[in-house]
Amino acid sequence: MTRNFCSRLVATAFIISTMCVRLSASNADYDKAVKALGARDYTTALRYLESAISDDPDNVRYASEYRQAAIQARDFDRSVQFFEKLASEKPNSANVHLNFGFAYVDKIPAAGSITQVILANNALKEFTKAVELQPNWINYYTRGMSYLFWPKVFNRAPFGVADLEKALQIQKPGLRRSYYVKTYVGLGDGYWKTDDLKRARAIWKEGLKQFPDNPELKARLAQKGDELKATIEAGFDPGKRVNTDLKELWANSQN
């Protein structure tokens, strides 16, 4: 056994032990945060979650639950500032950029109309970074839906349709993740926004074959004209909070 080989073994063992220590620390901080959340002590919970995320920035659950806690505490600026700092420290983490974008989205309902546009644009930039780093389902779906929120005058709906088509292609045939239905709903809405009602209905029908009990798909296929317009536009109201909780991702991954 050569000296170089032994050195590599020692280095590998050191890296593994360091990772284990970090994971253990992040788990401990997360457990403390959960306890604080149970007591509605959001200040303490946010502090421990920030520590957990800093040690494990690619953990989807930690980042998502942190933002949900910030929403409960109505401390939107803290969430934005935390992810802004973390994104500068971990520029290659798609998960950090994704949740940084969501932190902006979380703040939109509480902001004025001009600020909402700024926040939406900032969110879109972060979602784009996430797509560039990791072109997976959640990142394409999120950026695609983000495009659809923009008023028609900005002509961004076609970009949303393109992203959602890519998300649909990524979905594994026969694998019915509960969140995959969102792609059919959103993509159909995107085609409706680009004045292609025929394609919109085809997408909704395709989705209903996969998810026959989904009320959103059923409603869209049963409605026409102004009623359908009202249903779709209600989902893109900047004054209403968007559900940015990513719990379905890790819940499904454990099945």
Side-chain angles (χ1 to χ4, degrees):
M1 188 177 292
T2 66
R3 180 175 299 178
N4 287 340
F5 181 72
C6 291
S7 297
R8 287 197 296 271
L9 281 178
V10 172
T12 301
F14 175 76
I15 292 171
I16 293 175
S17 64
T18 301
M19 289 176 62
C20 289
V21 169
R22 288 181 177 177
L23 288 174
S24 177
S26 62
N27 288 338
D29 286 333
Y30 175 74
D31 290 341
K32 292 175 182 176
V34 170
K35 185 177 180 180
L37 285 172
R40 296 187 179 182
D41 182 357
Y42 296 115
T43 300
T44 300
L46 289 170
R47 175 164 54 84
Y48 278 120
L49 283 169
E50 286 170 352
S51 179
I53 299 166
S54 296
D55 284 337
D56 191 3
D58 293 323
N59 191 303
V60 178
R61 183 170 193 164
Y62 293 172
S64 177
E65 293 197 5
Y66 172 76
R67 288 187 299 95
Q68 301 313 302
I71 291 172
Q72 292 297 317
R74 297 192 62 78
D75 202 345
F76 307 111
D77 288 334
R78 176 171 179 165
S79 180
V80 168
Q81 291 165 10
F82 169 71
F83 282 112
E84 181 178 26
K85 181 176 182 294
L86 192 61
S88 67
E89 296 171 351
K90 307 289 183 180
N92 295 321
S93 173
N95 184 60
V96 170
H97 287 293
L98 175 68
N99 280 280
F100 186 11
F102 276 135
Y104 282 123
V105 172
D106 293 337
K107 186 178 177 180
I108 286 176
S113 57
I114 296 177
T115 303
Q116 285 180 337
V117 174
I118 296 172
L119 292 171
N121 196 51
N122 289 343
L124 189 56
K125 290 178 182 177
E126 295 307 316
F127 296 147
T128 295
K129 290 177 183 177
V131 168
E132 292 171 349
L133 288 166
Q134 197 169 25
N136 58 15
W137 180 87
I138 183 59
N139 293 333
Y140 270 125
Y141 170 78
T142 300
R143 189 176 69 172
M145 292 301 295
S146 181
Y147 279 127
L148 297 187
F149 271 85
W150 288 81
K152 195 170 184 177
V153 66
F154 289 94
N155 197 33
R156 288 186 169 181
F159 298 112
V161 167
D163 274 353
L164 291 168
E165 283 283 9
K166 289 177 182 177
L168 188 61
Q169 292 171 9
I170 291 171
Q171 294 180 189
K172 297 178 181 178
L175 184 61
R176 295 189 183 182
R177 299 296 194 198
S178 62
Y179 47 83
Y180 280 171
V181 69
K182 299 177 185 292
T183 313
Y184 292 105
V185 176
L187 181 55
D189 289 359
Y191 276 115
W192 180 88
K193 280 178 168 282
T194 57
D195 300 318
D196 192 345
L197 181 58
K198 182 178 179 180
R199 183 59 178 152
R201 290 196 175 278
I203 290 294
W204 293 329
K205 286 179 181 178
E206 182 183 342
L208 198 61
K209 290 179 182 178
Q210 299 293 321
F211 302 91
D213 297 324
N214 184 264
E216 292 180 277
L217 292 171
K218 286 182 177 180
R220 281 160 172 76
L221 287 169
Q223 296 171 352
K224 295 180 181 179
D226 289 341
E227 186 181 17
L228 177 60
K229 178 181 179 181
T231 294
I232 294 175
E233 290 186 344
F236 297 101
D237 183 349
K240 294 182 180 179
R241 180 161 304 287
V242 175
N243 182 5
T244 62
D245 191 341
L246 301 178
K247 62 184 177 184
E248 282 187 282
L249 292 182
W250 69 78
N252 277 269
S253 67
Q254 293 173 356
N255 293 336

